[in-house]
């Protein structure tokens, strides 16, 4: 079986990371939009989050992805606390662009101005208890490309000032991602990628522009973790219980979409081959999809951290397994 290369590089930045990162959205806890829609994944235990991050470090994970908006600052604070003296051993990515009130835990809109970017960076550095961000990412997926070009130029200034090492855009639009790719210190695109939702155009851009592909939703918001059944509603504070338009695979107040669950079931035997769990097989598909991919599954417990990190030793799927996945999905 093919083994995983020890590390992957964030594009042309030369920054090495573990092949798997940990996404820190869920550990931000509960937060909501101004109209009361949940934006988090429900309640969290901060002490368990800290233990999970430290366990990930023990297991060789060196890349952690958060955002200032996750839990309206709470995710950054928890990550900063958990890393402590290990900050120099890891690569920290965060994002900016959303406005929020830490006190009320409400997200209040967006700001794509360079002035806001500097303010947001200062606040993120404080919450993360660090003097620099390794990868700073624009968190407005549909920002105006011309205004985004100004933000790209600002990021180059921030690199020169030593406040960030590299930058990226979190967007599923290849044309927008290409605007950031023109900057010398752009290192990645963060985009959705999982076995149910491929992203060939973005992977092609990453190959052409020498960027890393940082993959959010690698487990399809939990569908590929194998824990969901049709008709079982999720907690009120869980975004998947009142899914916005960009979150397919779930039905309001009814849990996972049966159509999506059938697709997962059809793939189960391939993804769980070679002793993998379903989640580990989903990560193995991403690694086999491109040598530039760095999936960032979420976590809330030590057990999830161990399962996700356990995928690294098992490596990517084989070419034959990848072809079989495409055949089953009719791709």
């Amino acid at each position: 079986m093919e083994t995983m290369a020890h590390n992957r590089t964030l594009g042309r930045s030369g920054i090495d990371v573990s092949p798997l990162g940990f996404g820190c959205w869920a550990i931000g806890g509960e937060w909501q939009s101004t109209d009361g829609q949940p934006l988090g994944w429900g309640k969290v235990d901060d002490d368990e989050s800290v233990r999970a991050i430290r366990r990930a470090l023990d297991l060789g994970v060196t890349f952690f992805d958060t955002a200032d908006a996750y839990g309206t600052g709470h995710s950054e604070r928890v990550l900063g606390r958990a890393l402590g003296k290990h900050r120099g051993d890891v690569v920290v990515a965060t994002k900016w662009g959303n406005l929020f009130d830490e006190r009320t835990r409400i997200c209040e809109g967006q700001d794509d101005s360079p002035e806001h970017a500097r303010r947001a960076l200062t606040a993120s550095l404080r919450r993360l208890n660090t003097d620099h961000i390794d990868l700073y990412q624009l968190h407005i997926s549909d920002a105006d490309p011309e205004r985004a070009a100004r933000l790209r130029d600002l990021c180059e200034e921030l690199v020169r000032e030593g406040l960030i090492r590299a930058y990226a855009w979190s967007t599923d639009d290849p044309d927008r991602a290409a605007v950031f790719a023109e900057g010398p210190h752009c290192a990645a695109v963060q985009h959705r990628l999982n076995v149910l939702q491929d992203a060939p155009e973005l992977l092609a851009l990453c190959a052409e522009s020498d960027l890393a592909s940082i993959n959010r939703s690698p487990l399809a918001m939990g569908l590929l973790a194998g824990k969901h059944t049709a008709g079982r509603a999720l907690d009120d504070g869980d975004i998947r219980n009142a899914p916005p338009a960009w979150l397919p695979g779930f039905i309001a107040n009814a849990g996972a979409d049966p159509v999506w669950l059938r697709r997962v079931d059809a793939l189960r035997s391939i993804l769980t081959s070679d002793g993998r769990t379903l989640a580990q097989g989903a990560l193995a598909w991403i690694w086999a999809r491109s040598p530039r991919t760095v999936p960032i599954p979420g976590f809330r417990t030590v057990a999830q951290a161990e399962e996700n990190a356990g995928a690294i030793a098992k490596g990517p799927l084989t070419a034959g397994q990848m072809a079989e996945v495409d055949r089953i999905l009719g791709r």
Side-chain angles (χ1 to χ4, degrees), residues 54-236:
R54 291 181 178 161
R55 183 67 181 129
L57 290 170
D58 292 342
L59 295 169
V61 174
T62 62
F63 181 51
F64 294 87
D65 174 89
T66 185
D68 59 0
Y70 295 163
T72 60
H74 192 68
S75 174
E76 287 186 331
R77 291 183 188 283
V78 171
L79 180 59
R81 173 186 150 199
L83 293 177
K85 65 180 190 299
H86 298 288
R87 168 64 183 99
D89 306 327
V90 302
V91 173
V92 171
T94 192
K95 309 181 195 76
W96 91 94
N98 290 289
L99 301 169
F100 52 85
D101 184 325
E102 285 200 50
R103 197 176 41 81
T104 60
R105 290 205 157 206
I106 289 173
C107 191
E108 301 168 328
Q110 297 176 319
D111 187 338
D112 66 357
S113 70
E115 295 75 21
H116 172 69
R118 278 196 177 271
R119 284 193 301 271
L121 176 58
T122 301
S124 286
L125 292 170
R126 188 180 68 245
R127 285 188 292 261
L128 285 160
N129 192 27
T130 186
D131 62 359
H132 72 280
I133 302 297
D134 297 294
L135 185 70
Y136 202 37
Q137 303 163 106
L138 177 58
H139 204 186
I140 307 175
S141 61
D142 58 351
D144 176 77
E146 285 182 23
R147 290 180 67 84
R150 290 172 56 207
L151 294 172
R152 177 197 65 210
D153 296 343
L154 171 72
C155 284
E156 288 293 331
E157 284 177 35
L158 298 173
V159 171
R160 286 194 291 274
E161 292 168 30
L163 295 171
I164 68 174
R165 292 172 70 194
Y167 57 89
W169 193 342
S170 179
T171 181
D172 292 316
D173 178 358
D175 293 334
R176 284 183 164 83
V179 172
F180 260 40
E182 290 172 20
H185 290 90
C186 181
V189 183
Q190 181 167 144
H191 63 91
R192 181 174 61 198
L193 180 70
N194 59 64
V195 64
L196 301 172
Q197 297 168 292
D198 200 1
E201 289 180 21
L202 281 156
L203 291 172
L205 174 72
C206 290
E208 288 158 19
S209 303
D210 192 11
L211 302 175
S213 160
I214 298 172
N215 312 125
R216 54 181 147 77
S217 296
L219 304 180
M221 304 291 280
L223 291 175
L224 290 161
K227 308 287 193 294
H228 290 278
T229 52
R232 186 171 65 86
L234 295 148
D235 295 340
D236 285 344

Side-chain angles (χ1 to χ4, degrees), residues 293-305:
T293 54
V294 183
I296 50 167
F299 65 98
R300 275 191 281 190
T301 65
V302 171
Q304 288 169 334

